[in-house]
Structure formats: C-alpha cells, structure tokens
Amino acid sequence: MDSMKRRDFIEFLGGASLSMALGTCLPGCASQGLSSQKILPLEVSSHDQLVTHKELDFYILNSYGDSLGSGKVFGFNCDYNCIIPLPGKTNEALLWTNHEFIDPFFVNLGQKNPFARSKDQVELEQKMVGGSICHIKNLAGQWTVLRDSRFNARIDGTTPIPFSGGAEVLGAKMAKGTLANCAGGRTPWNTVLTCEENYEDFYGEVSYEGKIRKVSKSKEFSWEEVDPQAPEHYGWVVEIDPLNNARAKKLLPLGRFAHESATCVRAKDGRVVVYMGDDKVNECFYKFISDGPNSLESGKLYVANIGKGRWEILDAHENPILKKHFSEQKQLLIETRKAAKLAGGTPLDRPEDVEVHPFTKDIYLSCTNNKTKDVFHGSIMRFQEDQSDFTSLTFKATTWKEGGLEEGFSCPDNLCFDPKGNLWMTCDISESLMNRSHWKSFGNNSLFVIPFSGPQRGEVIRVANGPVDSELTGPCFSEDGKTLFLSVQHPGSSSQKVGKLTSHWPKGNNAKPLPSVVAMKGPLLDNLMR
Ligand code: FEO
Ligand code: CA
Ligand code: CA
C-alpha cells in the first residue's frame, strides 16, 4: 500500500472489485507474471537518446525518408501505429503509421518562412503527411519491413479522398488529401481510423456567423499561400482499408474538430461505438454510435455532459436546442464544437487519447493540461457507462490519476492497453517547456506502464525516455503482446540553425534527427505477458 495512494486504491476497487472479491484474476490478467517481477522505474533523463528500461530493448523499423518501394517513402513526424492482421499469415501483418505534421526546417532544408516556400516545396511537405502502410514480417522474434511488398502504400496530403455517403462539402465530393493525422483507432472489420487533429495549422480555419462564412489564415504552415483549400475539408476522422488498395473516406457523421483519437468498441447489440477526444483547451469528449454493425457511415453523435452524467445528442432534428441553430445536420457537423457547447458538453483540459479496458470495459481519457486554469500536469479520467453498456446514454466520470510530482508524470497523451490489460501511456510536455519551470523535474517526454494487477497495481512506472525535443507517440502492441511499436516524433524540433541542431537521434554525430518508429521487446514485456 505504501506506493499506492489511498484514493487510487479505492478507485481501482471500482474497476476490479469483482476479481478482487473473488480473489481471482479477470480473464487474461497478468497477476502471476507480475507477482514475482517487480518493475523498477527508470530514472528521469534529458539525454539525446531513446533511453529504455534495462529489461526493454529497441530497434528501428522505419525512419523518415525510408523507402517503401516503387518511389514511395515513409513520411515525417510519425504518430499513431496500428496493426492490421493479414488473413492466413500468423507471422506477418500490416503496420499503419500516421504522419502528423511536417517541419519545413527539415523537409525543405532549413526553410522556416512559409511565405518563402515555392509550390513545389509545399507539395513535398504535402506528400510527407497522412499515413504509411508497411508490410512487416516476424523473423525469429524480430519484425522486419518487407520494403517491396505490394501492400506497402502511402496516403498523403495530395491523395483525393471522398466524403462518406457521397456527400458534398462546399460543393466538392472529394478533399485534397488528409493531414494532421494524430492518433486513431481500428474498427472491428480491420480498417484504420486516422484522425485529423490540428488541421487549422495547414490551410487555416473557418467560422460562421449565421450564413456569413469567414476564413482565417493558418498560423503555422500557410499552405494556403500557394494552394488554397477549404478548411471544411479537414478536421474529420478518415477510414482507410489497408487490405483493399488503401481505399479511404472522410467520415462526416463523426463530427469535425481537432480529432485526437477514435477508439472503437463493439456494443452488446452489435452496433459500434467510437470514443473521441478533441485536443484543445476547454473542448469536449464525444462518442458516436453506429446505426448498423459494420459501417460508420451512419449513426448518432453525442457529447459528454459530465455534470449530468449524460450523453447529449448532437442532432439538428432530434435535439430541440440545436434545432433552433442548425437547419441541416451537415452544417451542424461542420460546426461540431459550437453544437457541443449549445447542447451542454463539458469543457475539459485538452481531452486527447481514449482507451477502453479490454476486461472491465471502463473508459480512460487523457486530459493533457489547461494552462488557462493553471492545470499544468493534466490527469487521466475514467468513465463507466451504466450497465457497462457502450450504447448507454448515462455514465459516471471521475479523475482516476492526477499528473504531478507525486505520480511522476505530466501531460498524459497517448494511452494503450496491452493484451493483459495493463495501461501504457506516453506524455506530451511541449518542447518549449520540457526540462523547464513547472516541468523541470519530469525530464524528456517518456513512456510509462501502469499495471492493472499484481503488487504494483496502479503504480505509474517510467520505462523509456525520448531523445531531445521528442514526444513518444502511437504505442501499439503486436497480437502476442511481446513487441511494442512506438513512434519517436519531432526529435530536434527546436533547432534553429542547420549547423546547430538540438538532436542527432538516432544516427548521432552530426546527422539530422529522424522521426522513427521503433519496435521494443525484452524481459519486461515477456514477464507481463506470462
Ligand atoms: Fe497530436 Fe493531441 O496530439
Ligand atoms: Ca497526441
Ligand atoms: Ca491510443
């Protein structure tokens, strides 16, 4: 009990009371493997290295610029990873990786000023976002990329992508590409959901006052200076089918906002529920319930009203408040945030990734921080649907873990459950704050495991630290849980001069830093999977 605070213990009882009362383990839980193997936490570090726990090793699978065959290359700033099984092949799979954003400084040779970039330079940047599909094979426990596989594919910022249901958005049936691809999800039918998060950084944003439409410029990449596109074409969840020529569509019914993640679960009645965060301060937490069992092209969108413990429907016809503001559902979806606030959605502290525990069915949501409210270290919230029914319209919510010195983590972002139901978490302290001020003692951004059973149940244990300026993103397990795929995003991102880079990871010496996906393995994972 020493290391588990009383509140955590009581909270955990809520999630695991059945197994504890019976003195047994939930199906698949890791109690035996953990009872004899104490995981000692890794020390904080600020080195320009990917530092791992002594029982965890890594190798690089893909770095920015690596060939995927036929002229295709692995894109910039890797994020969400997702394994898609290949039918009939137990030791092979497809690995989807998001490429969230570019850094013109690295993609276009030291060029920071967006207004000085040519159309060709912007097109190069457009090709480095989106996602990659890589065919991978496990050879004696080590995964390798089959670089010339016919399955390898790129979706990028130039790929024409239709809107779901044949819908038109501002008179167009297709968007030019996908971008800002942050986290995501996997559907029960093995397609990938890739989430368009900070889309306004690329082509700007739009606002509506009644019927008056106002477009504001991008403050970050300014692609609209040479290639203007409608902001309404971005900010959606995009479904990709890696087994069918990477066919893609933008799913309008899931709403338009800074989509962090789209975590899918199958409800008892066969419908699919998708939980989604909106990564902006004082924005909301959403869920979507599909109409049918195998498609997300129709269904209902809801926003969490935490004070009332209720999911509020975002429907222009069914919600009497929204009826007064929106005459059609498509416009409501384009302005999802406005509708959510009108309907009673609760503003949160940057709701980012969300995951559902595979056995207890509890839902965990990272809230990264909210400097407008002096919330510097964020928290992990837990939601429990009534009757553990994902389609329930009522729920209970609580703060499960608070970031800060006591727990040893700050700014939680990506979450992932391993096959035994332990929670893995990466943190996102921005590079301008890392190792400074309120965040000084947390060191570089890190990877943590929180066991859900065994003597260390509930402890937040640091197991890896990223290189300088980087953020560890997209944790994802192989089916057997013995390999953890992880992205190392934006190492060296605060570099200002080509001759004075802040990171040279992974090659060292004077090399340019390379965002990369690594595969981790070792006794730490083997013991957890026992
Ligand atoms: Fe792209 Fe909210 O992280
Ligand atoms: Ca994130
Ligand atoms: Ca996740």
Side-chain angles (χ1 to χ4, degrees):
M1 276 292 281
D2 283 3
S3 57
M4 185 184 278
K5 280 162 250 6
R6 186 177 151 71
R7 190 197 66 237
D8 289 343
F9 180 70
I10 292 166
E11 299 261 328
F12 189 80
L13 275 176
S17 53
L18 177 64
S19 67
M20 292 184 74
L22 296 174
T24 59
C25 191
L26 290 164
C29 82
S31 68
Q32 296 313 308
L34 280 173
S35 58
S36 56
Q37 304 281 342
K38 186 165 168 67
I39 307 171
L40 297 173
L42 184 69
E43 294 289 310
V44 166
S45 68
S46 55
H47 309 305
D48 186 29
Q49 283 169 20
L50 177 57
V51 182
T52 56
H53 188 278
K54 65 178 174 18
E55 295 194 335
L56 200 56
D57 214 346
F58 76 91
Y59 53 94
I60 290 177
L61 264 191
N62 269 318
S63 291
Y64 165 56
D66 282 355
S67 171
L68 296 176
S70 311
K72 299 181 288 288
V73 298
F74 194 70
F76 206 72
N77 274 342
C78 34
D79 202 302
Y80 177 69
N81 292 293
C82 175
I83 289 285
I84 299 292
L86 263 178
K89 307 260 188 187
T90 50
N91 64 339
E92 295 179 31
L94 300 183
L95 175 66
W96 167 272
T97 302
N98 278 358
H99 299 295
E100 186 177 17
F101 61 101
I102 40 79
D103 185 340
F105 181 77
F106 290 116
V107 174
N108 272 310
L109 306 172
Q111 182 58 266
K112 277 273 183 203
N113 181 355
F115 301 104
R117 300 198 316 275
S118 67
K119 192 160 185 178
D120 285 350
Q121 286 179 314
V122 167
E123 188 175 331
L124 176 61
E125 294 175 7
Q126 289 169 329
K127 286 186 176 294
M128 292 304 130
V129 299
S132 292
I133 298 166
C134 301
H135 186 174
I136 56 173
K137 185 167 186 169
N138 190 332
L139 297 167
Q142 176 126 345
W143 292 91
T144 186
V145 177
L146 304 181
R147 301 224 167 255
D148 292 315
S149 167
R150 67 184 175 87
F151 286 108
N152 293 351
R154 282 298 318 278
I155 298 279
D156 63 35
T158 67
T159 311
I161 303 179
F163 299 108
S164 59
E168 286 190 3
V169 176
L170 254 78
K173 289 199 162 199
M174 297 265 187
K176 178 173 179 172
T178 181
L179 41 76
N181 308 78
C182 188
R186 185 174 84 176
T187 65
W189 48 93
N190 281 334
T191 56
V192 177
L193 300 178
T194 176
C195 291
E196 297 183 334
E197 190 199 28
N198 295 316
Y199 58 90
E200 73 276 13
D201 290 348
F202 297 81
Y203 294 114
E205 180 54 307
V206 66
S207 61
Y208 289 85
E209 281 165 34
K211 293 210 161 142
I212 301 171
R213 174 178 179 266
K214 248 175 93 177
V215 175
S216 53
K217 293 193 169 210
S218 147
K219 293 189 180 70
E220 192 70 39
F221 305 120
S222 301
W223 287 356
E224 76 274 16
E225 293 296 325
V226 294
D227 182 22
Q229 300 291 330
E232 292 93 331
H233 287 187
Y234 308 95
W236 305 103
V237 173
V238 185
E239 183 175 2
I240 313 271
D241 188 349
L243 294 169
N244 284 296
N245 301 316
R247 207 164 44 204
K249 58 191 167 198
K250 298 206 176 191
L251 297 169
L252 303 194
L254 277 63
R256 178 175 170 274
F257 44 89
H259 279 284
E260 171 76 27
S261 53
T263 300
C264 290
V265 276
R266 180 77 80 186
K268 289 173 191 162
D269 66 3
R271 289 182 288 167
V272 176
V273 177
V274 189
Y275 292 98
M276 301 176 283
D278 179 1
D279 183 4
K280 192 173 178 190
V281 285
N282 304 319
E283 290 300 339
C284 302
F285 180 42
Y286 296 85
K287 85 169 173 184
F288 174 81
I289 306 177
S290 69
D291 287 337
N294 291 314
S295 166
L296 300 175
E297 291 203 39
S298 71
K300 295 282 189 237
L301 183 63
Y302 299 84
V303 66
N305 180 331
I306 292 174
K308 294 190 171 160
R310 204 164 72 194
W311 291 103
E312 309 285 1
I313 192 162
L314 300 180
D315 189 288
H317 308 293
E318 289 182 32
N319 186 317
I321 300 166
L322 299 180
K323 234 182 207 177
K324 294 182 202 147
H325 294 268
F326 299 97
S327 57
E328 55 149 5
Q329 183 66 5
K330 189 165 68 183
Q331 189 60 30
L332 181 154
L333 292 168
I334 287 172
E335 299 182 81
T336 303
R337 284 176 172 162
K338 189 198 282 183
K341 297 286 170 55
L342 288 165
T346 303
L348 296 169
D349 301 333
R350 288 184 61 196
E352 293 212 63
D353 202 1
V354 54
E355 289 296 334
V356 179
H357 192 279
F359 311 127
T360 67
K361 310 300 179 201
D362 292 345
I363 299 142
Y364 292 84
L365 173 70
S366 279
C367 291
T368 297
N369 58 32
N370 189 342
K371 282 165 243 158
T372 69
K373 292 183 177 167
D374 286 349
V375 176
F376 300 121
H377 304 301
S379 63
I380 304 175
M381 297 185 71
R382 187 179 67 200
F383 291 72
Q384 293 170 307
E385 301 277 25
D386 283 354
Q387 316 287 328
S388 298
D389 177 357
F390 298 124
T391 66
S392 169
L393 297 185
T394 50
F395 63 84
K396 288 182 190 64
T398 181
T399 298
W400 182 65
K401 293 256 175 228
E402 269 183 45
L405 288 172
E406 217 178 326
E407 293 284 12
F409 73 91
S410 177
C411 306
D413 187 342
N414 287 145
L415 303 174
C416 170
F417 281 105
D418 66 29
K420 298 287 187 181
N422 303 298
L423 185 60
W424 295 72
M425 167 181 70
T426 58
C427 287
D428 177 15
I429 304 169
S430 82
E431 55 268 48
S432 60
L433 304 173
M434 225 187 288
N435 295 297
R436 294 197 179 104
S437 178
H438 301 286
W439 299 270
K440 191 170 172 60
S441 51
F442 299 96
N444 287 0
N445 276 319
S446 304
L447 169 74
F448 299 83
V449 61
I450 309 175
F452 265 53
S453 60
Q456 288 179 285
R457 182 175 49 219
E459 280 184 38
V460 183
I461 307 167
R462 179 182 290 250
V463 292
N465 298 325
V468 169
D469 292 339
S470 76
E471 178 189 347
L472 304 177
T473 57
C476 159
F477 281 87
S478 59
E479 299 282 310
D480 65 4
K482 292 190 174 177
T483 302
L484 169 61
F485 301 100
L486 185 73
S487 294
V488 180
Q489 197 191 77
H490 61 74
S493 55
S494 64
S495 300
Q496 296 295 322
K497 280 189 183 163
V498 174
K500 214 177 165 191
L501 302 176
T502 57
S503 171
H504 304 281
W505 188 86
K507 294 191 171 171
N509 296 322
N510 289 322
K512 280 196 296 186
L514 296 172
S516 304
V517 172
V518 303
M520 291 188 167
K521 63 175 196 169
L524 193 151
L525 292 181
D526 296 343
N527 289 335
L528 283 171
M529 291 309 122
R530 274 194 194 133

